[in-house]
Amino acid sequence: PADHRHPAGAVVTGAHLPATTVALTEPPDLLAQAGEDGWLFRGERGGLAGRGVALRIDLPEGLGESQAPARVAEALASIECDDPLQRPGTGPAAIGALPFDPTVAGHLVVPRRIFGRDGDTGWVTTIEPVDAGPGPVVLGPDPAGVPVGSPPDRFTLVPTMTHDGWREVIAEAVEVLGRGDLRKVVLARRIDIEANRPFVVSDVLERLTALYPSCMVFLVEGFLGASPELLISRYGAEVESHLLAGTVARSGDTHGDEALVARLMESPKARHEHQVVVDAIAAALAPACASLEVPDRPSVLGLRNVSHLGTHIRGRVATGPAAPSALELVSRIHPTPAVGGTPTEAALHYLQKVE
């Protein structure tokens, strides 16, 4: 089926969706496999690209609902998979972009065909209904895809809030922080970009990959971008979180950038902002981990346009059936103070009011 829709709270399973994973002689081009309307998570070493929909897993009460990670794990476990590779990323995978607010409904999708790459190793997992039979493995863009035109070459930036209005929002937040109602809050405003022609998704992804090679480039149902931050990864028992908080622009001048980074490291505001995030994530992960390593000082991650303060947290979870999944670990820390604020509930309530 092209789509699976279920009533709120229903248990979603893939009992009639067998999966097969096979090795590829050459690692796949993940951008080409994702095309204009697929799913993509591509990092420096590799990642996953998906096409089609084998299964949709609805989370009607959002990621914050206590049984949400278990519902996803149950759906994935119900798909019988012939996977001789048994590598991280092989077999069925649930992919999605969940809402900023953990109480808002969301969903994950298990693509019908999932291409994976880890360095020089490549594979494809195909998930088909029992009565359909496996289709051919196609390397390259989906031949049924709609041809795309030339990308736009003229743009207009249109703020959805006036500059004075934005200054008022910031001033009010400073007052709230001064009263001690919040320790941190992360404000955002939307800017619309109007182009002279429709955007070409593949062109945007190629540009992001070229400009930000160290970032994770992603595409999920029209939501795309490149992020240097790693919220959570879990490979076997190994858990990692590379959190970023505290930012300074890059000038393009080597000596100037070194001075800017030095001031960032010495800034009480930036260090406090960063430590709030470190403390929150470490406290949330500690009960789920057998061990957790948290550096005493942040390092600096330099990108093409900005430098961030970063802390790389590493831990190990206890192995066995009770080991928390990556999604369960995410549910413990999302949204972090790096994107929302702290205390979390109060910061989210404030953002809902002002944004």
Side-chain angles (χ1 to χ4, degrees), residues 15 24 50 88 165 179 185 191 210 214 243 245 252 297 306 312 324 334:
L24 298 174
R179 294 197 302 266
V185 65
I191 296 178
S214 64
L243 59 96
R297 285 174 54 85
V306 295
H312 205 148
H334 172 74

Side-chain angles (χ1 to χ4, degrees), residues 1 16 41 47 61 77 80 89 104 130-131 137 149 152 192 231 286 303 353:
H16 302 293
F41 285 90
E61 297 179 47
E80 296 182 6
V104 173
V130 291
D131 57 350
V137 174
D192 293 339
L231 190 63
L303 299 174
K353 181 182 71 171

Side-chain angles (χ1 to χ4, degrees), residues 98 103 130 172 197 214 285 339 354:
L98 296 171
T103 66
V130 291
E172 180 186 346
R197 288 192 291 267
S214 64
L285 291 181
V339 293
V354 301

Side-chain angles (χ1 to χ4, degrees), residues 237-239 282 285-294 313-318:
E238 304 290 333
V239 174
L285 291 181
C289 293
S291 63
L292 197 66
E293 298 177 8
V294 184
I313 296 176
R314 293 179 172 89
R316 292 183 62 86
V317 296

Side-chain angles (χ1 to χ4, degrees), residues 1 18 47 68-69 97 136 158 188 203 213 224 242 258 281 300 306 314:
V158 183
D203 175 71
L224 58 84
H242 190 191
E258 290 176 353
I281 292 182
V300 175
V306 295
R314 293 179 172 89

Side-chain angles (χ1 to χ4, degrees), residues 9 53 60 96 103-104 135 145 153 200 206 224 227 254 260 263 300 304:
V53 178
T103 66
V104 173
D153 55 13
V200 178
E206 288 173 3
L224 58 84
S227 175
T254 302
L260 289 171
R263 285 200 291 270
V300 175
R304 187 172 183 269

Side-chain angles (χ1 to χ4, degrees), residues 32 35-37 51 138 140-148:
E36 293 290 305
D37 58 356
R51 295 200 64 82
V138 179
D142 184 358
V146 178
V148 296

Side-chain angles (χ1 to χ4, degrees), residues 7 15 37 92 96 166 176 196 199 205 227 288 297 310:
D37 58 356
W166 179 230
V176 170
N196 62 327
F199 290 97
L205 294 175
S227 175
R297 285 174 54 85

